[in-house]
Structures are given as C-alpha cells and as structure tokens.
Amino acid sequence: RRARGGRAPAGSHAVVPEEVRAAQPHERAPAGDAADDGDAADQDERITTTVPKAKALRRVADKMVTHGKKATLHHRRLASAYVRDREGVSKLFDELAPRYRDRPGGYTRVIRAGFRTGDNAPMAVIEWVDREGELRPARPVEARGGAGGEGDLLEEVAAEQAAHHEGPAARS
C-alpha cells in the first residue's frame, strides 16, 4: 500500500513512502511515453503536459542525462529501458550528455503554463536548460549559489563573527 503524504498511516506496517519506492512498470510508462514523445521533444526539446507528469518526467530525464554522462554500455542499456527508441538514446548520449558535461544536475526546467480547457488540469512545459530558444535562460552560476558567489559570502560572515567575538578592545 502507499503512504499518503509521505508518512505511513497509524497501525500500518511495511508501507513505504512514494518517494522511496522503486518505480513500478505502470508508473514508469507515462514517463517513458513522455520521453518517447518524438516530434515535440526532438524538434523543440520541450514538451507540454500536466504538472504531475512533468514533475515525474523531470526526475527520469535527469537520471537519463546522468546515465549519458557516464557513457558506458551498462548505462546505455539502463537508459534504453526508459527511452525506447534508438534515436532517443543516441541523442541522449551524443548531444545531451556532452552539453551537460560540466553541469552537476538540474538539466530540466518545469514552467507552469496555465490550465487546460475542458478539465481545468494544471499544465506545464518541461524543457532542457542551456539550449537555443529556451523559454527562460538559465541563471549564472553565481546566482544559483554555486562556485564563486557562496564562498565570498561565507568569508565575509566568518570575518564579521571573528570581529564580534574579539570584544570591544580588539576592534578599536
């Protein structure tokens, strides 16, 4: 059974939260179908779908790029279990993996795109980052809190704390 909200109901044993469980075949299928969404994904590297499917696809897509970056036969076969056509696997290993070689994660972006007419389902656009024609450009490394900006801030805070702890005699 599934746990609701990531926690097991009272009195239930062996209920594993959804985030921890391994993907079941019927849960992997929508992500695989979206990954196979040939014409939209190949031309624009962008897919419009519902928000829950986009969030599920984001996890799968990031894992596939990680497999592509490792570039072994084993990882190619793991990727082909999700991306079911050879062209998609080739694109993953030949184009996407080299593009994200220096990026430590976060290869996709989910942008909310309003609500679908008819059932009012929340829609989103999922796209690869750092590419031509993206909806929103990627933030620079300093703005993401990566290397460069964060170290300087930590040094400033450490200097302020050291000056504060030395006492009034040391400051004057």
Side-chain angles (χ1 to χ4, degrees):
R1 294 188 311 177
R2 289 187 193 194
R4 294 202 178 253
R7 296 179 60 214
S12 297
H13 298 281
V15 178
V16 181
E18 200 169 319
E19 301 84 35
V20 179
R21 292 183 314 125
Q24 300 298 316
H26 63 278
E27 292 169 344
R28 285 172 50 166
D33 291 340
D36 284 345
D37 206 3
D39 51 350
D42 287 342
Q43 290 174 2
D44 298 335
E45 296 185 354
R46 175 185 310 151
I47 297 173
T48 302
T49 185
T50 60
V51 172
K53 285 183 182 179
K55 288 182 177 181
L57 178 60
R58 175 177 54 188
R59 289 177 33 195
V60 172
D62 286 354
K63 286 180 185 175
M64 294 303 105
V65 172
T66 303
H67 287 317
K69 286 168 70 172
K70 294 181 181 175
T72 63
L73 178 61
H74 175 66
H75 287 97
R76 186 175 285 269
R77 287 179 175 164
L78 288 174
S80 66
Y82 277 93
V83 184
R84 290 172 266 183
D85 62 333
R86 286 184 182 216
E87 293 82 22
V89 175
S90 296
K91 180 174 184 171
L92 175 67
F93 281 80
D94 299 338
E95 293 179 31
L96 297 176
R99 182 190 305 173
Y100 300 118
R101 177 182 59 248
D102 298 328
R103 191 178 183 93
Y107 312 112
T108 55
R109 173 187 302 125
V110 175
I111 301 172
R112 291 180 183 261
F115 297 90
R116 183 165 54 197
T117 306
D119 62 355
N120 209 27
M123 299 298 288
V125 175
I126 182 168
E127 66 176 2
W128 297 108
V129 298
D130 294 338
R131 65 176 183 81
E132 294 281 327
E134 58 189 334
L135 294 178
R136 185 180 71 205
R139 293 180 293 168
V141 174
E142 294 81 26
R144 288 195 306 253
E150 196 171 293
D152 299 336
L153 179 63
L154 291 177
E155 290 173 8
E156 288 176 24
V157 171
E160 286 178 17
Q161 288 177 348
H164 184 317
H165 289 295
E166 289 175 358
R171 278 184 254 166
S172 52

